[in-house]
Amino acid sequence: MPIQFHNTLTKSKQPLETLEKGVVRMYNCGPTVYSYPHIGNFRSFTFADLLRRYLEYRGYEVRQVMNVTDVGHLVHDADEGEDKLEAQARREKKDPWQIARHYEEIFLGIREKLGFAKALAHPRATDHIGEMIAIIETLLAKGNAYVVGSNVYFSVASFPAYGRLSGNVGDGLEAGARIEPHPDKKDPRDFALWKHDPQHIMQWDSPWGRGFPGWHIECSAMSQKYLGETLDIHTGGEDNIFPHHECEIAQSECANGKPFCRLWMHARFLLVDGQKMSKSTGNFLTVEDVFRKGVTPQALRYALSSTHYRQQQNFTWEACSAAQQAVDRLAEYRRGLADPAGTAPLSAVKSALDAAQKAFESAMDDDLNVSEALGAVFTMIRDVNKAGPGPAAAAAALELFDRFDSVFNVGAAPPDVFTAEEQALLDARVAARAAKNWAESDRLRGVLEAGGVLVEDRARGQRARRRR
RNA sequence: GCGCGUGUGCCGGAGAGGUCAAACGGUCCGGCCUGCAAAGCCGGAAUUCGGUGGUUCGAAUCCACCCGCGCGCUCCA
């Protein structure tokens, strides 16, 4: 069974076919850098990283690009209102460029903290104004766009396939009755490629006068520059399907006369406590908020990965601590394998390992069924623990575990380092135990535990680890 | 309002016609192990899959309607 993914374009699963054998060109819709990213943003980004890592597990070379949107979109309507970046800039009393660089840095820092694989590029929209203008000129030359004053609009009527991705076709859009008739637009569905607004702070020169690019054009320009005119995979949150991705398809295909992207994958939204996350209901959580509660990056990563990406996920603190426990269990297992205490030969675990690998891969091949894949991992852990692996068995189990973890990237535990005082307490406890002074050893264990150091007595002696 | 999706135990969450008295993780209870713990292992905790009808020899899985929630039609991952 080949790898298959659900394609938003066809609403069905289909085998992965890449333009170039063994290479996947993947573009992920990234953040607009105007504030602290919330956990919903990172659900989508974690999904992209998981996808990339599994493709690499399967031997593909993945050329991954995730944009950074640093030109604000408008707060209200597509054609009026305030730019989000500029609004934030005003709140923070900075200029929009400072805002963009600041939050970009935070975004990249979180990626690193969560153990994301490095993308080929994180291009900024503002660094690609020239490329955007070039595409707009092509669209004008081909008759897919028109100029009204200092604005340029894309003519949706010139692209009959418009609406194929989202199912929002023609009349359906107007039936929404939320599209205000726009004096400049020939068709209410038309969208801006270049806008003129003297109030806007971020502006560039263009053949149509000073202005700034429309929302959708940056992704068409940057994906093409870094990955070529046709992409293998394009991802984003479900809210990107319309209008953003629909418009990207229209622009790119009209400009290049080639299919834009073969496979569209969209992550569903994440709810918090069963409700849509929003500032007004008070359940809005940034990634920093979660870390501040003591959740480790691995646990957050696990929590955000462990629900299938096309399944709406409900984030709760209880689920978060379950994720923390799960991740600790993985780390403990790994630690045990690195220093095996058992005697079982390789043959005793071989069939469990083979079964786990088979189950893991067939689950992940099927549109990244992470729940089932993790089920296979935990089943393997139980089987191996039960066997009590000796050195050879443990080495094989460790190798497979690390291979699985190259996808999830949550199994590594930082080495446990202790302060001099902690070490003294640990040494004292060893001595107390040797003297069978149980009262004293239990007391010391209590003291250490209160300080976050967990102590356990194993057959080969005392072992300490730091609570995470 | 229109379109799309979704609803499984105490919690998270797989399963998408029989092999399901429902994987896996968490939690709780009991046991083994341990000086006691911890870790690990074993066993128990849904007679049932939002509700009501229907299709079928057979439904958590298919269909209809209803209810809840989410997404799109408007900035949002």
Side-chain angles (χ1 to χ4, degrees):
Chain A
M1 189 91 131
I3 304 184
Q4 50 173 11
F5 294 124
H6 182 271
N7 191 349
T8 308
L9 206 51
T10 57
K11 287 189 174 32
S12 61
K13 288 183 198 172
Q14 53 190 235
L16 175 67
E17 287 167 14
T18 59
L19 215 55
E20 189 180 332
K21 198 175 178 326
V23 177
V24 175
R25 292 156 219 266
M26 175 164 82
Y27 187 89
N28 312 121
C29 262
T32 301
V33 283
Y34 70 103
S35 69
Y36 292 97
H38 57 67
I39 55 175
N41 296 125
F42 265 86
R43 181 192 192 192
S44 165
F45 305 152
T46 304
F47 152 64
D49 187 61
L50 193 76
L51 174 59
R52 182 238 169 110
R53 286 171 170 276
Y54 187 64
L55 290 168
E56 286 179 340
Y57 173 103
R58 275 306 200 183
Y60 287 93
E61 176 198 334
V62 182
R63 296 187 193 150
Q64 180 190 18
V65 171
M66 180 179 280
N67 66 296
V68 167
T69 297
D70 57 350
V71 185
H73 309 323
L74 300 178
V75 174
H76 300 295
D77 188 75
D79 296 300
E80 53 184 85
E82 196 175 16
D83 178 305
K84 279 192 276 196
L85 267 157
E86 296 191 355
Q88 185 67 22
R90 195 162 37 69
R91 276 194 288 274
E92 295 192 23
K93 298 189 173 36
K94 290 182 181 157
D95 76 53
W97 296 92
Q98 291 174 304
I99 293 294
R101 295 300 170 263
H102 175 65
Y103 289 108
E104 175 184 308
E105 205 173 299
I106 285 171
F107 161 70
L108 294 174
I110 293 171
R111 280 184 63 93
E112 206 177 321
K113 215 165 168 181
L114 288 178
F116 281 30
K118 219 167 156 38
L120 193 68
H122 290 289
R124 295 169 180 157
T126 54
D127 289 338
H128 298 81
I129 302 294
E131 285 87 343
M132 297 187 217
I133 289 174
I135 295 179
I136 297 171
E137 287 187 304
T138 303
L139 290 171
L140 282 167
K142 289 191 171 184
N144 297 107
Y146 55 93
V147 180
V148 180
S150 297
N151 297 322
V152 185
Y153 294 97
F154 182 88
S155 170
V156 168
S158 74
F159 184 64
Y162 190 85
R164 210 179 125 217
L165 183 71
S166 61
N168 286 337
V169 216
D171 298 343
L173 268 185
E174 292 167 69
R178 304 219 201 155
I179 291 191
E180 299 289 322
H182 188 103
D184 290 347
K185 291 184 185 177
K186 292 181 183 165
D187 183 316
R189 297 173 301 165
D190 291 352
F191 54 91
L193 296 169
W194 189 263
K195 293 184 239 182
H196 172 73
D197 176 3
Q199 301 292 96
H200 212 263
I201 299 169
M202 294 170 121
Q203 296 212 51
W204 294 265
D205 286 321
S206 82
W208 317 284
R210 274 185 81 70
F212 59 100
W215 174 27
H216 316 295
I217 195 72
E218 63 175 86
C219 288
S220 287
M222 297 191 289
S223 65
Q224 179 175 330
K225 173 167 176 180
Y226 294 93
L227 298 171
E229 294 177 345
T230 300
L231 310 173
D232 292 311
I233 303 179
H234 194 131
T235 74
E238 61 176 316
D239 57 320
N240 282 150
I241 296 172
F242 190 90
H244 189 49
H245 289 164
E246 194 75 75
C247 295
E248 280 182 44
I249 294 174
Q251 294 162 351
S252 291
E253 299 203 350
C254 288
N256 299 325
K258 289 182 187 165
F260 176 48
C261 179
R262 307 146 67 92
L263 176 60
W264 290 86
M265 297 175 75
H266 293 96
R268 274 221 211 307
F269 266 40
L270 171 143
L271 308 182
V272 172
D273 292 328
Q275 279 194 300
K276 182 181 173 153
M277 187 165 48
S278 86
K279 284 177 179 155
S280 56
T281 53
N283 64 347
F284 189 90
L285 290 173
T286 67
V287 176
E288 311 283 342
D289 289 336
V290 175
F291 287 152
R292 233 174 276 130
K293 285 258 187 177
V295 175
T296 65
Q298 284 89 350
L300 178 58
R301 189 181 162 100
Y302 184 97
L304 293 176
S305 308
S306 56
T307 299
H308 185 93
Y309 74 95
R310 275 192 303 115
Q311 181 72 29
Q312 194 169 75
Q313 175 177 15
N314 187 15
F315 183 95
T316 61
W317 289 113
E318 199 177 347
C320 216
S321 83
Q324 186 73 62
Q325 288 303 117
V327 159
D328 289 348
R329 184 165 149 84
L330 294 174
E332 271 302 287
Y333 172 73
R334 191 184 187 288
R335 221 191 299 254
L337 292 180
D339 180 24
T343 55
L346 180 57
S347 60
V349 298
K350 187 79 173 70
S351 66
L353 297 183
D354 289 347
Q357 180 165 0
K358 210 172 145 203
F360 179 88
E361 289 171 5
S362 76
M364 292 298 278
D365 280 355
D366 182 16
D367 198 29
L368 298 186
N369 189 337
V370 291
S371 306
E372 228 172 80
L374 287 168
V377 173
F378 283 106
T379 299
M380 169 190 76
I381 289 177
R382 197 187 55 226
D383 290 344
V384 171
N385 279 337
K386 209 186 308 187
L398 182 59
E399 191 187 336
L400 184 63
F401 179 81
D402 283 345
R403 191 156 153 65
F404 290 161
D405 197 46
S406 71
V407 178
F408 289 103
N409 199 23
V410 295
D416 291 301
V417 286
F418 304 106
T419 65
E421 299 91 284
E422 285 165 349
Q423 193 54 54
L425 289 168
L426 289 169
D427 293 343
R429 185 167 182 279
V430 170
R433 291 199 77 238
K436 294 204 191 305
N437 185 350
W438 306 130
E440 176 62 1
S441 77
D442 289 352
R443 187 188 68 82
L444 291 167
R445 182 169 60 197
V447 172
L448 282 156
E449 207 172 305
V453 177
L454 305 176
V455 183
E456 26 187 276
D457 301 311
R458 314 203 140 184
R460 286 185 295 171
Q462 172 177 287
R463 216 206 81 190
R465 66 196 161 100
R466 190 164 288 287
R467 196 205 322 261
R468 274 169 298 280

